[in-house]
Amino acid sequence: MNDQKLSPADEFVNALRLNSQEFSVTFAANDLARLRAYYELTMRWNARLHLVAPCTPPEFAVRHVLESLVALQFIQEDARLIDVGSGAGLPAIPCLVQRPGARATLVESSTKKTVFLREALRCVGRHERASVVAARFEETHAPAADVVTCRALDRFKEMLASLIRWSPPASTLLIFGGPAIRDELERITPWFQSVHIPQSEQRFLFAVERRTIDESPTMDDGR
């Protein structure tokens, strides 16, 4: 009888495998190796930078990596991606692992976290296809992109209209959130799609076509 305890990284990879079907994701062996390395790196840096809230390896696999990969249905293989408020690299880094032809710009206001992001991109072998910008998104000019992602942002609800206006005109915004974000999007525009995130009660991926926002008479920054 083998009762050897699994390492946290093994638990993480097992959780990816066990839950992949529910999230409609297929992992190649080298993708799992990259994501394992990313998990181990994130855990080593987490105590200093507070990249993610404390969680078990299976929780990290499901709540962070697999949740991020719900965005894949909107990201083409050769997509140009901007990830705003990238933090731990979620959702950008898992998506880049699964979409090796994509290119990304990761925008993060914390200089210390941008150091981590550059190391994480090297760790998963995507550093040549991604750049990291150390700034608040509203202090930069949005590069050309097909997709803009945002999973977490300070004062997320209040900043949502500004984020939408900042995004490239022809892009699709992929915004992760709950009922408060949905209510704010409904105030801004009726034209968005909601995708329920598996194994959650009130977590959604909201897909907004940027060009429809300009047609909405309710689009404003005022309160």
Side-chain angles (χ1 to χ4, degrees), residues 71-88:
L72 288 179
Q73 60 193 288
F74 299 100
I75 301 174
Q76 299 298 318
E77 175 58 41
D78 60 349
R80 297 165 300 171
L81 171 71
I82 306 172
D83 188 29
V84 175
S86 199

Side-chain angles (χ1 to χ4, degrees), residues 144-190:
D146 305 298
V147 178
V148 176
T149 61
C150 188
R151 191 165 178 264
L153 201 63
D154 289 340
R155 300 187 297 116
F156 203 169
K157 179 179 175 180
E158 291 79 4
M159 296 300 294
L160 190 54
S162 296
L163 174 62
I164 292 170
R165 285 196 180 280
W166 176 86
S167 301
S171 61
T172 298
L173 285 83
L174 302 178
I175 299 166
F176 294 79
I181 296 297
R182 181 181 57 209
D183 291 346
E184 184 65 7
L185 281 172
E186 288 175 346
R187 187 190 72 81
I188 294 169
T189 177

Side-chain angles (χ1 to χ4, degrees), residues 53-67:
C55 60
T56 65
E59 287 172 338
F60 190 96
V62 173
R63 288 168 39 193
H64 295 305
V65 173
L66 287 171
E67 175 175 304

Side-chain angles (χ1 to χ4, degrees), residues 16 26-36 97-98 100 126:
L16 290 179
T26 301
F27 292 110
N30 59 346
D31 294 336
L32 287 173
R34 288 187 175 95
L35 290 170
R36 178 192 179 109
V97 169
Q98 293 294 99
R126 296 293 185 264

Side-chain angles (χ1 to χ4, degrees), residues 70-71 73-74 174-176 193-195 197 203-207:
V70 173
Q73 60 193 288
F74 299 100
L174 302 178
I175 299 166
F176 294 79
Q193 178 181 350
S194 301
V195 179
I197 294 174
R203 286 283 291 172
F204 297 89
L205 174 63
F206 303 106

Side-chain angles (χ1 to χ4, degrees), residues 128-147:
E128 293 182 353
R129 303 195 66 81
S131 60
V132 180
V133 176
R136 297 179 63 86
F137 77 87
E138 63 269 32
E139 297 170 352
T140 68
H141 178 71
D146 305 298
V147 178

